[in-house]
Amino acid sequence: MRDSSDIATFLTMSDAERIAELETRLAHHEHTVDELSVVVAAQADQIDALRERVRRLTERLQTVEDAVPRTPGDEPPPPHY
């Protein structure tokens, strides 16, 4: 029911018409919920994949950071010294 005219129309309906209207709306809502459920499941899969990718990239970055000297004193002198 979107506005007051919808409410007025609904109130003037017979019980059978009201039930039919409610069943129709319920069917539309159930369809919408089903569609949204599929979208949410797909997004959850995407989030899981992205989390895994971030985890792997973090590990790679940590490996690179561990291989790079922290301070200039930690770095061995060039061969010509």
Side-chain angles (χ1 to χ4, degrees):
M1 288 176 216
R2 307 274 159 117
D3 57 32
S4 60
S5 65
D6 284 345
I7 293 171
T9 301
F10 188 75
L11 293 175
T12 61
M13 297 172 142
S14 70
D15 288 344
E17 291 171 323
R18 286 183 189 175
I19 290 172
E21 176 67 20
L22 291 172
E23 288 175 342
T24 300
R25 291 179 186 207
L26 177 61
H28 287 291
H29 288 300
E30 287 175 341
H31 179 71
T32 300
V33 168
D34 290 342
E35 288 178 333
L36 290 173
S37 180
V38 170
V39 170
V40 169
Q43 288 176 340
D45 291 343
Q46 289 176 329
I47 289 169
D48 290 343
L50 289 170
R51 281 185 177 153
E52 177 59 23
R53 188 171 187 186
V54 167
R55 186 192 64 74
R56 285 191 319 253
L57 289 171
T58 301
E59 286 177 359
R60 286 177 61 191
L61 178 61
Q62 187 63 49
T63 301
V64 169
E65 286 178 344
D66 291 344
V68 174
R70 297 276 179 206
T71 62
D74 293 341
E75 189 173 330
H80 60 278
Y81 277 99

